Amino acid sequence: DSPVHHMDLPTAKLILRIKGMVGDMEFEYIRRRTTENKERIRAAGLPVGEGGPQYGYKWLRTEEGRIHPSRAWVIDETEAEVIRLIFHLAGDRGWTVLQIAEELNRRGIPTPSVKRGRKFKDNRQPRWTHNVRKLLIDPTYKGLATCHRRVKVKKGRYHELPQDQWRILDRATIPVIIDPELWQRANDNLKRHFNGYDRARKFAGRRNEEEFALLRGVIRCNSCGAPMRVAKVLQWNPKTKRHDGHHKLAYKCDTRWNKLLPADQRVCHSRPAYDEH
């Protein structure tokens, strides 16, 4: 039995409040000491934990299977091969993020979240999408350790910081998976593709204010890869037997009508793609 049970109600409330205040103070002191120690270690250029090994790495373990006291990372060759493939497609072949994701899905390569055991309620497994970009911009794979990549917004919610605001841990030792030159080529191609896509979305947003088209400035022709323009197409009218029905929004490729292109390049015969939105 707790001694509080044998006290009168006002005294018991007072004792419980005092114990709660002492517990809160001790918890605050522990959190402050932990934060100060982490900052001291990071100020020395060493990693604290940083959420555990990235995709492509694993903990160095002892003979008993426990994490080594040095908490060092070693390369996971199975995952590292996936990382090398992604950077090869982006840096050497100039593929976009979505093209790389389609290739990884076609080969049946599991995503990092699948490795962590994540799945949907209907037992579907996550697929590669834009998460490829997070791996491409990660400087860890060229041997550069970082911390403070995000800030806490509220409980359980974090905001990702721009890469130029990450803190570099210059004394940390991380095995290199990707050559720095290949890493730079892949990121240059990534910025080139992303800037073009972002610019198209920006100008499309201005035009959408007057006439909304969901994929304006983004969609490309599946046959020749050229950008598709937005057009209003008159539908077939069964009563008049002519194309004088109501207007319908469509995306059209004008490659075969572009007289500025050489004749051998004006060979696209794709049909209009209609917008159902």
mmCIF file of all heavy atoms in Angstrom, residues 84 86-95 136 142 178-193:
data_model
loop_
_atom_site.group_PDB
_atom_site.id
_atom_site.type_symbol
_atom_site.label_atom_id
_atom_site.label_comp_id
_atom_site.label_asym_id
_atom_site.label_seq_id
_atom_site.Cartn_x
_atom_site.Cartn_y
_atom_site.Cartn_z
ATOM 1 N N ARG A 84 24.061 1.673 -56.610
ATOM 2 C CA ARG A 84 24.950 1.849 -57.768
ATOM 3 C C ARG A 84 24.156 1.857 -59.073
ATOM 4 O O ARG A 84 24.471 2.612 -60.001
ATOM 5 C CB ARG A 84 26.003 0.749 -57.781
ATOM 6 C CG ARG A 84 26.954 0.783 -56.576
ATOM 7 C CD ARG A 84 28.081 -0.220 -56.723
ATOM 8 N NE ARG A 84 28.928 -0.243 -55.538
ATOM 9 C CZ ARG A 84 28.872 -1.188 -54.598
ATOM 10 N NH1 ARG A 84 27.997 -2.192 -54.718
ATOM 11 N NH2 ARG A 84 29.668 -1.147 -53.549
ATOM 12 N N ILE A 86 21.001 2.847 -59.446
ATOM 13 C CA ILE A 86 20.255 4.114 -59.518
ATOM 14 C C ILE A 86 21.164 5.245 -60.001
ATOM 15 O O ILE A 86 20.794 6.024 -60.886
ATOM 16 C CB ILE A 86 19.651 4.438 -58.146
ATOM 17 C CG1 ILE A 86 18.538 3.448 -57.801
ATOM 18 C CG2 ILE A 86 19.117 5.863 -58.105
ATOM 19 C CD1 ILE A 86 17.972 3.606 -56.407
ATOM 20 N N PHE A 87 22.364 5.333 -59.431
ATOM 21 C CA PHE A 87 23.279 6.412 -59.827
ATOM 22 C C PHE A 87 23.818 6.203 -61.242
ATOM 23 O O PHE A 87 24.091 7.180 -61.942
ATOM 24 C CB PHE A 87 24.431 6.512 -58.818
ATOM 25 C CG PHE A 87 24.100 7.334 -57.613
ATOM 26 C CD1 PHE A 87 23.530 6.753 -56.501
ATOM 27 C CD2 PHE A 87 24.344 8.701 -57.591
ATOM 28 C CE1 PHE A 87 23.209 7.509 -55.380
ATOM 29 C CE2 PHE A 87 24.031 9.466 -56.492
ATOM 30 C CZ PHE A 87 23.453 8.870 -55.377
ATOM 31 N N HIS A 88 23.955 4.958 -61.648
ATOM 32 C CA HIS A 88 24.400 4.700 -63.026
ATOM 33 C C HIS A 88 23.340 5.166 -64.015
ATOM 34 O O HIS A 88 23.662 5.818 -65.030
ATOM 35 C CB HIS A 88 24.667 3.206 -63.204
ATOM 36 C CG HIS A 88 24.832 2.787 -64.631
ATOM 37 N ND1 HIS A 88 25.899 3.191 -65.417
ATOM 38 C CD2 HIS A 88 24.041 2.017 -65.440
ATOM 39 C CE1 HIS A 88 25.770 2.694 -66.634
ATOM 40 N NE2 HIS A 88 24.655 1.982 -66.671
ATOM 41 N N LEU A 89 22.068 4.862 -63.734
ATOM 42 C CA LEU A 89 20.998 5.273 -64.648
ATOM 43 C C LEU A 89 20.830 6.786 -64.671
ATOM 44 O O LEU A 89 20.549 7.378 -65.719
ATOM 45 C CB LEU A 89 19.679 4.603 -64.237
ATOM 46 C CG LEU A 89 19.644 3.075 -64.332
ATOM 47 C CD1 LEU A 89 18.312 2.548 -63.824
ATOM 48 C CD2 LEU A 89 19.887 2.614 -65.756
ATOM 49 N N ALA A 90 21.018 7.430 -63.509
ATOM 50 C CA ALA A 90 20.839 8.882 -63.448
ATOM 51 C C ALA A 90 22.061 9.638 -63.940
ATOM 52 O O ALA A 90 21.936 10.656 -64.635
ATOM 53 C CB ALA A 90 20.513 9.301 -62.015
ATOM 54 N N GLY A 91 23.259 9.178 -63.591
ATOM 55 C CA GLY A 91 24.476 9.915 -63.922
ATOM 56 C C GLY A 91 25.052 9.595 -65.278
ATOM 57 O O GLY A 91 25.531 10.487 -65.989
ATOM 58 N N ASP A 92 25.025 8.308 -65.673
ATOM 59 C CA ASP A 92 25.639 7.902 -66.936
ATOM 60 C C ASP A 92 24.650 7.907 -68.095
ATOM 61 O O ASP A 92 25.009 8.237 -69.221
ATOM 62 C CB ASP A 92 26.254 6.507 -66.788
ATOM 63 C CG ASP A 92 27.417 6.512 -65.793
ATOM 64 O OD1 ASP A 92 28.029 7.582 -65.609
ATOM 65 O OD2 ASP A 92 27.685 5.454 -65.193
ATOM 66 N N ARG A 93 23.397 7.545 -67.819
ATOM 67 C CA ARG A 93 22.401 7.481 -68.890
ATOM 68 C C ARG A 93 21.469 8.687 -68.916
ATOM 69 O O ARG A 93 20.732 8.869 -69.885
ATOM 70 C CB ARG A 93 21.564 6.195 -68.757
ATOM 71 C CG ARG A 93 22.380 4.916 -68.917
ATOM 72 C CD ARG A 93 21.469 3.726 -69.068
ATOM 73 N NE ARG A 93 22.219 2.486 -69.234
ATOM 74 C CZ ARG A 93 21.653 1.294 -69.434
ATOM 75 N NH1 ARG A 93 20.317 1.213 -69.503
ATOM 76 N NH2 ARG A 93 22.384 0.221 -69.567
ATOM 77 N N GLY A 94 21.468 9.485 -67.862
ATOM 78 C CA GLY A 94 20.638 10.684 -67.835
ATOM 79 C C GLY A 94 19.158 10.419 -67.694
ATOM 80 O O GLY A 94 18.335 11.217 -68.145
ATOM 81 N N TRP A 95 18.777 9.307 -67.036
ATOM 82 C CA TRP A 95 17.373 8.980 -66.872
ATOM 83 C C TRP A 95 16.734 9.895 -65.839
ATOM 84 O O TRP A 95 17.386 10.412 -64.937
ATOM 85 C CB TRP A 95 17.216 7.526 -66.433
ATOM 86 C CG TRP A 95 17.450 6.533 -67.526
ATOM 87 C CD1 TRP A 95 18.149 6.735 -68.683
ATOM 88 C CD2 TRP A 95 17.007 5.170 -67.554
ATOM 89 N NE1 TRP A 95 18.173 5.595 -69.434
ATOM 90 C CE2 TRP A 95 17.480 4.614 -68.768
ATOM 91 C CE3 TRP A 95 16.278 4.382 -66.690
ATOM 92 C CZ2 TRP A 95 17.227 3.294 -69.113
ATOM 93 C CZ3 TRP A 95 16.021 3.063 -67.030
ATOM 94 C CH2 TRP A 95 16.480 2.525 -68.236
ATOM 95 N N LEU A 136 19.138 9.883 -54.450
ATOM 96 C CA LEU A 136 20.075 10.561 -55.343
ATOM 97 C C LEU A 136 20.697 11.800 -54.712
ATOM 98 O O LEU A 136 21.863 12.115 -54.982
ATOM 99 C CB LEU A 136 19.368 10.948 -56.645
ATOM 100 C CG LEU A 136 19.048 9.790 -57.605
ATOM 101 C CD1 LEU A 136 18.179 10.280 -58.743
ATOM 102 C CD2 LEU A 136 20.327 9.184 -58.156
ATOM 103 N N LYS A 142 28.523 9.212 -50.961
ATOM 104 C CA LYS A 142 29.884 9.563 -51.376
ATOM 105 C C LYS A 142 30.798 9.745 -50.159
ATOM 106 O O LYS A 142 31.877 10.325 -50.276
ATOM 107 C CB LYS A 142 29.875 10.833 -52.230
ATOM 108 C CG LYS A 142 29.333 12.071 -51.546
ATOM 109 C CD LYS A 142 29.446 13.277 -52.468
ATOM 110 C CE LYS A 142 28.910 14.544 -51.808
ATOM 111 N NZ LYS A 142 29.051 15.724 -52.680
ATOM 112 N N ILE A 178 29.376 5.405 -53.743
ATOM 113 C CA ILE A 178 29.341 6.071 -55.052
ATOM 114 C C ILE A 178 30.518 7.024 -55.163
ATOM 115 O O ILE A 178 30.806 7.790 -54.240
ATOM 116 C CB ILE A 178 28.010 6.838 -55.228
ATOM 117 C CG1 ILE A 178 26.831 5.894 -55.110
ATOM 118 C CG2 ILE A 178 27.979 7.551 -56.565
ATOM 119 C CD1 ILE A 178 26.809 4.782 -56.133
ATOM 120 N N ASP A 179 31.185 6.981 -56.301
ATOM 121 C CA ASP A 179 32.275 7.920 -56.563
ATOM 122 C C ASP A 179 31.728 9.352 -56.590
ATOM 123 O O ASP A 179 30.652 9.598 -57.154
ATOM 124 C CB ASP A 179 32.926 7.582 -57.906
ATOM 125 C CG ASP A 179 34.101 8.489 -58.204
ATOM 126 O OD1 ASP A 179 35.157 8.320 -57.591
ATOM 127 O OD2 ASP A 179 33.926 9.397 -59.053
ATOM 128 N N PRO A 180 32.435 10.319 -55.963
ATOM 129 C CA PRO A 180 31.920 11.700 -55.940
ATOM 130 C C PRO A 180 31.638 12.292 -57.312
ATOM 131 O O PRO A 180 30.694 13.073 -57.467
ATOM 132 C CB PRO A 180 33.035 12.474 -55.220
ATOM 133 C CG PRO A 180 33.701 11.452 -54.360
ATOM 134 C CD PRO A 180 33.641 10.169 -55.148
ATOM 135 N N GLU A 181 32.421 11.926 -58.328
ATOM 136 C CA GLU A 181 32.166 12.450 -59.671
ATOM 137 C C GLU A 181 30.848 11.924 -60.233
ATOM 138 O O GLU A 181 30.073 12.677 -60.835
ATOM 139 C CB GLU A 181 33.330 12.090 -60.594
ATOM 140 C CG GLU A 181 34.650 12.752 -60.200
ATOM 141 C CD GLU A 181 35.757 12.400 -61.162
ATOM 142 O OE1 GLU A 181 35.493 11.595 -62.099
ATOM 143 O OE2 GLU A 181 36.874 12.913 -60.991
ATOM 144 N N LEU A 182 30.578 10.636 -60.033
ATOM 145 C CA LEU A 182 29.312 10.063 -60.489
ATOM 146 C C LEU A 182 28.151 10.665 -59.712
ATOM 147 O O LEU A 182 27.090 10.945 -60.282
ATOM 148 C CB LEU A 182 29.330 8.543 -60.329
ATOM 149 C CG LEU A 182 28.031 7.807 -60.656
ATOM 150 C CD1 LEU A 182 27.598 8.073 -62.087
ATOM 151 C CD2 LEU A 182 28.191 6.304 -60.413
ATOM 152 N N TRP A 183 28.342 10.881 -58.417
ATOM 153 C CA TRP A 183 27.291 11.491 -57.592
ATOM 154 C C TRP A 183 26.955 12.889 -58.122
ATOM 155 O O TRP A 183 25.782 13.255 -58.211
ATOM 156 C CB TRP A 183 27.759 11.569 -56.147
ATOM 157 C CG TRP A 183 26.714 12.023 -55.179
ATOM 158 C CD1 TRP A 183 25.871 11.240 -54.443
ATOM 159 C CD2 TRP A 183 26.398 13.384 -54.825
ATOM 160 N NE1 TRP A 183 25.044 12.024 -53.671
ATOM 161 C CE2 TRP A 183 25.337 13.341 -53.881
ATOM 162 C CE3 TRP A 183 26.880 14.623 -55.218
ATOM 163 C CZ2 TRP A 183 24.780 14.488 -53.327
ATOM 164 C CZ3 TRP A 183 26.321 15.774 -54.678
ATOM 165 C CH2 TRP A 183 25.287 15.708 -53.730
ATOM 166 N N GLN A 184 27.973 13.658 -58.490
ATOM 167 C CA GLN A 184 27.746 15.012 -58.997
ATOM 168 C C GLN A 184 27.053 14.987 -60.348
ATOM 169 O O GLN A 184 26.150 15.797 -60.614
ATOM 170 C CB GLN A 184 29.074 15.758 -59.093
ATOM 171 C CG GLN A 184 28.921 17.253 -59.355
ATOM 172 C CD GLN A 184 28.153 17.948 -58.257
ATOM 173 O OE1 GLN A 184 28.420 17.732 -57.078
ATOM 174 N NE2 GLN A 184 27.186 18.773 -58.628
ATOM 175 N N ARG A 185 27.439 14.066 -61.221
ATOM 176 C CA ARG A 185 26.786 13.972 -62.532
ATOM 177 C C ARG A 185 25.311 13.617 -62.375
ATOM 178 O O ARG A 185 24.451 14.178 -63.060
ATOM 179 C CB ARG A 185 27.480 12.916 -63.397
ATOM 180 C CG ARG A 185 28.837 13.315 -63.926
ATOM 181 C CD ARG A 185 29.213 12.476 -65.133
ATOM 182 N NE ARG A 185 29.132 11.046 -64.857
ATOM 183 C CZ ARG A 185 30.119 10.315 -64.359
ATOM 184 N NH1 ARG A 185 31.276 10.901 -64.060
ATOM 185 N NH2 ARG A 185 29.978 9.019 -64.155
ATOM 186 N N ALA A 186 25.023 12.685 -61.486
ATOM 187 C CA ALA A 186 23.634 12.287 -61.261
ATOM 188 C C ALA A 186 22.812 13.450 -60.726
ATOM 189 O O ALA A 186 21.664 13.662 -61.142
ATOM 190 C CB ALA A 186 23.583 11.101 -60.302
ATOM 191 N N ASN A 187 23.369 14.237 -59.813
ATOM 192 C CA ASN A 187 22.629 15.364 -59.251
ATOM 193 C C ASN A 187 22.482 16.498 -60.250
ATOM 194 O O ASN A 187 21.480 17.222 -60.226
ATOM 195 C CB ASN A 187 23.306 15.839 -57.973
ATOM 196 C CG ASN A 187 22.905 15.030 -56.756
ATOM 197 O OD1 ASN A 187 22.023 15.414 -56.005
ATOM 198 N ND2 ASN A 187 23.548 13.888 -56.569
ATOM 199 N N ASP A 188 23.473 16.686 -61.122
ATOM 200 C CA ASP A 188 23.336 17.701 -62.170
ATOM 201 C C ASP A 188 22.197 17.340 -63.117
ATOM 202 O O ASP A 188 21.392 18.206 -63.502
ATOM 203 C CB ASP A 188 24.643 17.844 -62.940
ATOM 204 C CG ASP A 188 25.732 18.504 -62.097
ATOM 205 O OD1 ASP A 188 25.391 19.136 -61.079
ATOM 206 O OD2 ASP A 188 26.922 18.363 -62.445
ATOM 207 N N ASN A 189 22.121 16.069 -63.512
ATOM 208 C CA ASN A 189 21.021 15.633 -64.373
ATOM 209 C C ASN A 189 19.681 15.734 -63.657
ATOM 210 O O ASN A 189 18.672 16.099 -64.265
ATOM 211 C CB ASN A 189 21.253 14.185 -64.831
ATOM 212 C CG ASN A 189 22.366 14.066 -65.846
ATOM 213 O OD1 ASN A 189 22.623 14.996 -66.608
ATOM 214 N ND2 ASN A 189 23.042 12.928 -65.869
ATOM 215 N N LEU A 190 19.690 15.432 -62.359
ATOM 216 C CA LEU A 190 18.457 15.525 -61.582
ATOM 217 C C LEU A 190 17.953 16.964 -61.531
ATOM 218 O O LEU A 190 16.752 17.223 -61.709
ATOM 219 C CB LEU A 190 18.698 14.996 -60.170
ATOM 220 C CG LEU A 190 17.512 15.023 -59.217
ATOM 221 C CD1 LEU A 190 16.422 14.081 -59.686
ATOM 222 C CD2 LEU A 190 17.951 14.639 -57.798
ATOM 223 N N LYS A 191 18.856 17.918 -61.301
ATOM 224 C CA LYS A 191 18.456 19.324 -61.267
ATOM 225 C C LYS A 191 17.960 19.787 -62.625
ATOM 226 O O LYS A 191 17.006 20.561 -62.718
ATOM 227 C CB LYS A 191 19.636 20.184 -60.815
ATOM 228 C CG LYS A 191 20.013 20.005 -59.354
ATOM 229 C CD LYS A 191 21.209 20.869 -58.990
ATOM 230 C CE LYS A 191 21.588 20.664 -57.526
ATOM 231 N NZ LYS A 191 22.793 21.466 -57.167
ATOM 232 N N ARG A 192 18.606 19.319 -63.683
ATOM 233 C CA ARG A 192 18.185 19.720 -65.031
ATOM 234 C C ARG A 192 16.761 19.246 -65.323
ATOM 235 O O ARG A 192 15.927 20.006 -65.812
ATOM 236 C CB ARG A 192 19.154 19.149 -66.072
ATOM 237 C CG ARG A 192 18.799 19.474 -67.500
ATOM 238 C CD ARG A 192 19.958 19.109 -68.416
ATOM 239 N NE ARG A 192 20.346 17.723 -68.248
ATOM 240 C CZ ARG A 192 19.757 16.707 -68.869
ATOM 241 N NH1 ARG A 192 18.752 16.944 -69.700
ATOM 242 N NH2 ARG A 192 20.169 15.470 -68.692
ATOM 243 N N HIS A 193 16.471 17.990 -64.994
ATOM 244 C CA HIS A 193 15.120 17.473 -65.221
ATOM 245 C C HIS A 193 14.117 18.155 -64.301
ATOM 246 O O HIS A 193 13.016 18.516 -64.730
ATOM 247 C CB HIS A 193 15.084 15.960 -64.987
ATOM 248 C CG HIS A 193 15.841 15.171 -65.998
ATOM 249 N ND1 HIS A 193 15.602 15.287 -67.357
ATOM 250 C CD2 HIS A 193 16.840 14.251 -65.868
ATOM 251 C CE1 HIS A 193 16.418 14.473 -68.015
ATOM 252 N NE2 HIS A 193 17.176 13.842 -67.134
#
